[in-house]
Amino acid sequence: MLEDTSFAIHPGQQKQNGQDGYKAIGPIVSYKKEGNLFNGTTENGELAIAFKREDIVHIEMNPFGKATLPKSPAIIVSEKDIDFKIDESNHSITLSTGALTVVIQKDPLLINILDGKGEVLVQESKSGMAYKETREVICYKEMEENDHFYGFGEKTGFLDKRGEKMVMWNSDVYAPHNPETDSLYESIPFFTTLRDGKAFGIFFDNTFKTTFDLRSETDRYSFGSEGGTINYYVFAGPTMKNVLEQYTYVTGRSPIPPKWSIGYHQSRYSYESEQEVRELVKLFKEKNIPIDVVHLDIHYMEGYRVFTFDKNRFPNPKQLIQDLKEQGIHVVPIVDPGVKEDSEYPIYQEGVRNDLFCKYIEGNIYFGEVWPGNSAFPDFTSENVRKWWGEKHEFYTDLGIEGIWNDMNEPAVFNETKTMDLKVIHDNDGNPKSHRELHNIYGLLMGKSTYEGMKDQLSGKRPFLLTRAGYSGVQRYAAVWTGDNRSFWEHLQMAIPMVMNLGVSGVPFAGPDVGGFAHDSNGELLARWTQVGALTPFFRNHSALGFVRQEPWSFGEKYEEVVRKYIQLRYQWLPQLYTLFKEASQSGLPVMRPLVMEYPNDENTVNLYDQFMIGDNVIVAPIVKPTDEYRVVYLPEGTWYDFWTGEVLEGGKRHLIHAPLDKLPIYVLAGTAIAQGNVRMSTEEKEATRTVHLYYSNNSEYTFTMYEDDGSTFAFENGEYLDMAFTITQKDGSIQMTSERSGSFKPEWESFHLVLHGAQEHVKIEFDGVLLEEQEKGKYSLKM
Ligand code: GLC
C-alpha cells in the first residue's frame, strides 16, 4: 500500500488545518431555568445544563437542534437532577451548587467551571465551542503549564497523556501496538486533569468517533467529534479518587468478580481438542502450578459457529467441564458476534426469521467476513436482540460454564475499514441510528447482553465476562484484556501504563496477554511478564497459533521455576486483591493504580509508568528489560519495607535495586498492613490460613480493611459477607489495634494470624483492648 511508503509524506498529502471551516455557536440570546434544568438559546444553537450531584455537572451544546442532555448506554445515573442557584450579571450567567459553579459568559459564549472555592477548573479557550455544517463539533479548553492528563481508557504510550492526540474508535489492531497506534479496542472518552495536586475530570459522552487533541497546541486542548453534540460531564474532584468515584457514579462500577476469575488463567489460540485440554490440566497439577481457568479459543466450535462444540474435537464437553470443575478449574469459551451465514444453522435461522441481525436501511442484512466466513451480526442495540442472545447462553450454562470471553466485538470485520459498513442502520430500541454513530457501543451492548443472560441462567452464581471491545460503562459487565499485543519487551513495558490508565478510566479488572500474544516469546520475557501478571488485576497467559508455545514450562526448568513461584504468589495475594476488588465495586477505585493517585503532590510520580501500586500501600517495580537485574525504584515519602527481605528503605528518593530473575521488587509502606492467604492449587481449594502482615513504624495510624464472602454467589447482597476494618495505631514501640466487623459470613480459615515485620524488639500489641500473646518471634494468633 502506498501509505506504507514515503508517499505518505508526499507534499500533496498534507491535510488542512483542523480548525478551518469551523463556526462558533454564537452568543447567548435568551435562557430559562425550568425546574432543575438550565436551557439557553445561542445565535446558532442551544445549550442545556443540569447537575447530577453537587459535584457533577452535565452540559450539552448543540448547534443543530434542541439541547436535551442525551445519555448514551454508558450512563446509569437516574433522570433526577438537583437544584442549583442562578445569578445573572451584564456579561454572564452563573449556576452554582456549592461544590461547582458554572459561569456562562454571554458574548462570546464561553463556559467556565469553578470549584466550590472559586478556583477555575475548566476554562474555555477563545473559540469555545464550534461546529461545521458537515456536523463536526469541537470545543477548546485552556491547558495550564502544570496540567497532567490521565485516563482515556486503553491507549498505548506512557502514563501522562499530555502531548498526545487520541482518537476513540473501537478498532481491531493486530498489527503491532506502537506508541503511535491510536485507536484500539476500547473507547473511553473520559480523563482526569491533575493540576498542582488537585484533580477534576471530564467525560465526553459522544458515541461517534471522537478526538482528544492534547498535542497540537501548548496552552489549550480540544475534544471533538465527527457527529453528535458537545455533550459532557465535569467532575469536581478535588482528588483523583474523588473524580473516579464521581465518574463511576454516572457510568457504574465493576461488580465483585467470582473468586475463580481472579486466579490464574491459561489460554492459547487454541487448545484444539478435549485431549489437549486434559493433558494441559494434568501438567499444571503435576508441576504444582496453580490454575483456575482454561480458555477455549475458536477451535472448540464447529466451523467457528458460536453456540456449538465440534463433535470430533470435543466429543463430550459436559463431561470435560465437569471433570475440570472437580479439579477446581473453570472453562471459559470464546464467543464472537459474527454468526455464520448458513441456512441450516439454527442460530442463523433464528436471527433471520426474527429479524435480529444488523441491516441496511433498505432491509437487507449486513454480511461481513470473520472467522466463520460470511457472517451476520446481531443488532445488540435492540433490547429484543440482547435478550435473545443472552438466553442463547443457556447452551453454555447447561454445560456447566460460568464465564464467557467476548472477542471481535468492535465489531471486527476482515475488510479495508476493519469494521461494519457505517451505513448500517441499527434498531437502537426504536430510535434508528447509523453504525457510524453507534459503532463504539456495539461491544458494550454485546457485553451487557452476555453478562445479563449469563446472570439470569446461573441461578445466583456470579458470571465472569472478558471482553475486548467496550465503551465507558464496560466495567459494569466485563473484565478487559488489552488485545493482541506481542512478545516484545516494549509491550511488557507498555502494558503497565495501559492497565493503570484503564484503572483510572473506571475499569479495574484489566490485564494484558501475559507473555505476549503474537510473535515468539522466550523464557526470560515470560518470567518477567508473569511477575507483573501476578499482581495485575486480570492474569492470563495467552498466545497465538503459529508462534512458540508459552505455557509455564515451555522454556525449561530455570524459567518454569520462576513462573511457578509467581503464579503461586498470586494465590498468596488473593485476599488482598479480593478486598480491593470489593472496594472497586463500591468506589470505582482501581486495584492496580499509578503512584500519582496516592501521591498527587509528588512531582516524581506524575509520569511514573514503570511502577505501580496495589491499593494504597504497596509498590511494585518490575524489571521490564532483557538481561537486566538492576533498576531504579522511586519510593515516595515514608518508610518502605522490601516484601521479600524486610529490608527498610527510606522514601522520598530513588534506590538502585538488585532484582535477579526470580525477584519481583515489592515494597510495603511502614505502618500499614496486607492480607495474605496460603498457596493453593486453585481458588476452589480451601484457604486454611489467613495472615495479616503488619509493618512496624514508630508513629503511624492506618485503617486496614479485609473483605470476605463466599466468592461465588450474590449472597453478599443479603448480608452474607465479612467486612473487617482494623484501626492500627503504632506509637513509641506499642501497637493498638481495634476492629470493627460487619456481615454474617463465617470464613473457612482454620487459623488467623498476625505477623509483625520490622520491629527490632518485642512489641506489645493490644487487640480490641486485649494483649496479644506472641507465639513465636513476631507472630501472634488472632481470634475470629
Ligand atoms: C483475536 C483475539 C485473540 C484470539 C484470536 C482468535 O485476535 O484478540 O485473543 O486468540 O482472535 O480467536
Side-chain angles (χ1 to χ4, degrees):
M1 275 199 292
L2 273 178
E3 293 87 71
D4 292 340
T5 69
S6 303
F7 181 79
I9 46 170
H10 187 290
Q13 292 281 93
Q14 287 308 297
K15 295 213 173 68
Q16 299 223 314
N17 183 333
Q19 287 165 41
D20 287 353
Y22 276 99
K23 195 165 152 187
I25 192 163
I28 282 266
V29 288
S30 68
Y31 72 89
K32 57 180 188 281
K33 177 177 185 276
E34 261 177 357
N36 296 336
L37 179 70
F38 173 89
N39 249 307
T41 303
T42 76
E43 199 173 78
N44 300 316
E46 282 218 9
L47 165 68
I49 301 175
F51 292 86
K52 297 282 142 202
R53 259 179 19 186
E54 281 200 357
D55 50 3
I56 304 173
V57 63
H58 184 187
I59 301 174
E60 188 196 10
M61 300 173 94
N62 185 357
F64 308 113
K66 240 184 131 35
T68 55
L69 294 169
K71 294 197 291 188
S72 78
I75 309 299
I76 55 151
V77 71
S78 77
E79 293 293 337
K80 258 181 90 209
D81 299 317
I82 65 153
D83 201 7
F84 55 88
K85 236 176 78 204
I86 182 162
D87 290 305
E88 188 180 2
S89 72
N90 285 348
H91 303 292
S92 62
I93 307 154
T94 304
L95 321 180
S96 52
T97 59
L100 275 176
T101 300
V102 179
V103 180
I104 308 162
Q105 182 188 297
K106 293 179 184 168
D107 187 10
L109 175 65
L110 290 177
I111 298 185
N112 297 330
I113 296 164
L114 288 63
D115 68 11
K117 296 193 188 104
E119 231 172 89
V120 177
L121 304 178
V122 185
Q123 184 162 13
E124 274 197 324
S125 176
K126 280 189 197 76
S127 45
M129 189 256 164
Y131 67 101
K132 278 187 186 175
E133 293 304 341
T134 44
R135 298 264 160 173
E136 288 95 328
V137 289
I138 196 162
C139 72
Y140 295 89
K141 312 282 183 204
E142 301 271 325
M143 177 152 70
E144 308 257 311
E145 213 175 312
N146 316 331
D147 286 356
H148 302 283
F149 297 86
Y150 307 100
F152 302 102
E154 185 187 50
K155 296 288 174 201
T156 59
F158 298 110
L159 186 66
D160 181 357
K161 298 299 182 199
R162 189 181 178 118
E164 299 290 335
K165 187 173 176 182
M166 291 159 289
V167 176
M168 301 291 170
W169 182 251
N170 290 4
S171 305
D172 169 24
V173 185
Y174 175 72
H177 300 175
N178 287 325
E180 65 169 3
T181 311
D182 187 349
S183 301
L184 284 172
Y185 316 89
E186 299 268 331
S187 291
I188 304 189
F190 160 65
F191 64 95
T192 295
T193 305
L194 183 71
R195 180 181 299 156
D196 301 326
K198 278 177 64 185
F200 60 89
I202 292 184
F203 170 36
F204 181 28
D205 188 19
N206 179 316
T207 63
F208 283 89
K209 183 185 278 180
T210 54
T211 302
F212 293 80
D213 186 356
L214 287 69
R215 177 184 295 161
S216 300
E217 294 177 69
T218 50
D219 54 358
R220 64 176 189 174
Y221 65 91
S222 68
F223 53 87
S225 172
E226 58 168 52
T229 61
I230 293 294
N231 177 47
Y232 66 108
Y233 296 76
V234 176
F235 307 105
T239 66
M240 284 179 81
K241 292 183 179 181
N242 296 144
V243 172
L244 259 181
E245 188 279 329
Q246 291 150 358
Y247 168 72
T248 54
Y249 174 78
V250 171
T251 61
R253 297 177 183 132
S254 185
I256 307 177
K259 264 191 188 166
W260 60 266
S261 70
I262 63 169
Y264 176 74
H265 298 234
Q266 182 63 51
S267 186
R268 171 82 181 173
Y269 169 28
S270 297
Y271 295 122
E272 293 193 14
S273 67
E274 172 173 336
Q275 197 195 346
E276 201 183 349
V277 173
R278 287 184 188 275
E279 273 161 20
L280 174 86
V281 166
K282 201 162 146 251
L283 275 175
F284 269 94
K285 299 289 169 191
E286 276 171 20
K287 290 176 173 293
N288 222 12
I289 302 176
I291 176 167
D292 259 272
V293 192
V294 173
H295 287 245
L296 295 184
D297 209 324
I298 54 174
H299 288 89
Y300 78 85
M301 294 177 267
E302 202 185 308
Y304 312 121
R305 288 169 184 81
V306 286
F307 307 103
T308 67
F309 264 91
D310 183 290
K311 291 188 185 56
N312 294 320
R313 297 165 187 265
F314 289 87
N316 192 348
K318 193 162 193 163
Q319 192 64 48
L320 173 71
I321 285 149
Q322 194 186 319
D323 291 350
L324 260 46
K325 223 173 228 181
E326 276 161 21
Q327 300 182 64
I329 293 167
H330 283 75
V331 169
V332 171
I334 197 167
V335 178
D336 293 350
V339 173
K340 187 175 178 65
E341 181 212 357
D342 168 0
S343 56
E344 293 176 348
Y345 167 36
I347 303 289
Y348 181 71
Q349 291 173 340
E350 276 181 49
V352 173
R353 289 208 181 104
N354 301 322
D355 195 14
L356 305 171
F357 292 130
C358 295
K359 292 188 310 188
Y360 286 102
I361 192 163
E362 293 79 8
N364 46 327
I365 295 176
Y366 167 79
F367 289 101
E369 177 86 10
V370 269
W371 307 121
N374 206 33
S375 301
F377 296 81
D379 188 357
F380 293 112
T381 68
S382 148
E383 170 71 38
N384 194 18
V385 176
R386 286 198 296 273
K387 205 161 171 296
W388 167 68
W389 187 263
E391 282 168 2
K392 285 288 130 197
H393 285 74
E394 214 177 348
F395 171 78
Y396 296 108
T397 51
D398 276 355
L399 297 171
I401 287 168
E402 296 170 29
I404 295 289
W405 167 18
N406 280 170
D407 186 26
M408 305 288 278
N409 51 346
E410 294 72 28
V413 181
F414 302 147
N415 64 23
E416 275 291 296
T417 68
K418 295 183 166 183
T419 194
M420 188 176 284
D421 192 335
L422 303 188
K423 288 193 305 206
V424 161
I425 295 292
H426 292 285
D427 171 72
N428 197 33
D429 289 330
N431 179 17
K433 286 186 169 163
S434 68
H435 189 68
R436 196 168 72 89
E437 177 164 356
L438 302 186
H439 170 82
N440 280 343
I441 56 169
Y442 188 83
L444 170 75
L445 295 176
M446 180 181 187
K448 178 177 164 67
S449 156
T450 307
Y451 180 83
E452 289 173 355
M454 291 291 287
K455 192 172 172 188
D456 278 352
Q457 286 145 29
L458 282 176
S459 337
K461 281 199 175 169
R462 298 175 214 168
F464 165 70
L465 178 64
L466 177 66
T467 187
R468 193 169 74 171
Y471 181 74
S472 292
V474 65
Q475 67 272 10
R476 303 197 296 264
Y477 313 115
V480 169
W481 98 101
T482 56
D484 297 346
N485 62 2
R486 302 204 159 203
S487 302
F488 298 160
W489 287 93
E490 290 85 345
H491 280 196
L492 166 57
Q493 289 157 20
M494 200 159 64
I496 298 168
M498 234 169 153
V499 176
M500 289 197 284
N501 269 320
L502 274 162
V504 299
S505 304
V507 184
F509 201 1
D513 280 345
V514 167
F517 175 66
H519 199 66
D520 293 321
S521 200
N522 62 68
E524 191 189 0
L525 180 61
L526 181 66
R528 290 301 194 187
W529 210 322
T530 306
Q531 291 175 348
V532 173
L535 290 175
T536 46
F538 178 61
F539 184 19
R540 182 182 74 158
N541 172 321
H542 180 47
S543 60
L545 86 185
F547 299 100
V548 297
R549 310 287 305 204
Q550 63 185 42
E551 285 79 14
W553 46 83
S554 301
F555 303 102
E557 278 283 320
K558 175 175 155 196
Y559 299 108
E560 180 184 324
E561 199 52 42
V562 179
V563 172
R564 177 187 300 105
K565 173 173 168 183
Y566 283 89
I567 297 178
Q568 291 186 350
L569 183 83
R570 168 68 164 212
Y571 284 76
Q572 234 170 285
W573 277 77
L574 282 179
Q576 186 70 12
L577 296 173
Y578 195 58
T579 296
L580 291 167
F581 272 108
K582 183 270 185 168
E583 278 178 11
S585 77
Q586 292 185 329
S587 62
L589 289 190
V591 174
M592 169 176 171
R593 51 187 86 153
L595 274 76
V596 67
M597 183 168 246
E598 297 296 335
Y599 299 92
N601 292 306
D602 182 343
E603 270 295 308
N604 295 296
T605 66
V606 295
N607 203 8
L608 193 55
Y609 66 90
D610 63 350
Q611 299 181 201
F612 59 90
M613 292 192 79
I614 292 298
D616 63 4
N617 62 334
V618 175
I619 288 180
V620 184
I623 297 272
V624 290
K625 289 191 221 155
T627 64
D628 226 358
E629 290 198 346
Y630 290 87
R631 65 158 289 167
V632 171
V633 175
Y634 178 70
L635 295 174
E637 61 177 1
T639 300
W640 298 82
Y641 286 92
D642 180 312
F643 170 76
W644 301 103
T645 63
E647 187 194 344
V648 175
L649 292 104
E650 276 318 309
K653 61 180 190 184
R654 291 174 177 79
H655 296 265
L656 183 65
I657 297 298
H658 184 213
L661 187 68
D662 74 340
K663 180 167 178 175
L664 168 69
I666 305 174
Y667 303 93
V668 188
L669 182 62
T672 74
I674 52 173
Q676 305 264 288
N678 50 301
V679 172
R680 290 172 289 157
M681 286 301 108
S682 120
T683 58
E684 300 291 314
E685 218 174 84
K686 186 170 171 175
E687 185 193 333
T689 338
R690 172 63 63 94
T691 309
V692 172
H693 293 268
L694 181 56
Y695 291 83
Y696 180 76
S697 137
N698 49 23
N699 190 5
S700 62
E701 187 162 327
Y702 185 68
T703 304
F704 170 66
T705 56
M706 213 164 72
Y707 174 81
E708 264 312 314
D709 59 25
D710 66 18
S712 73
T713 74
F714 289 92
F716 67 87
E717 288 176 351
N718 303 318
E720 283 182 45
Y721 62 84
L722 176 66
D723 219 339
M724 300 197 235
F726 300 101
T727 306
I728 307 168
T729 313
Q730 304 199 41
K731 207 165 180 29
D732 307 327
S734 85
I735 299 176
Q736 306 272 346
M737 286 175 75
T738 53
S739 73
E740 249 179 70
R741 298 162 196 227
S742 61
S744 60
F745 182 73
K746 300 245 172 323
E748 59 184 359
W749 331 312
E750 283 154 10
S751 60
F752 184 26
H753 297 294
L754 178 80
V755 173
L756 178 64
H757 298 261
Q760 298 307 317
E761 290 156 20
H762 174 76
V763 177
K764 274 208 240 161
I765 306 182
E766 250 183 43
F767 190 86
D768 285 336
V770 180
L771 201 60
L772 290 184
E773 212 175 292
E774 194 172 18
Q775 294 175 316
E776 38 189 282
K777 198 174 172 317
K779 194 167 176 188
Y780 305 77
S781 169
L782 289 177
K783 290 221 166 47
M784 268 307 305

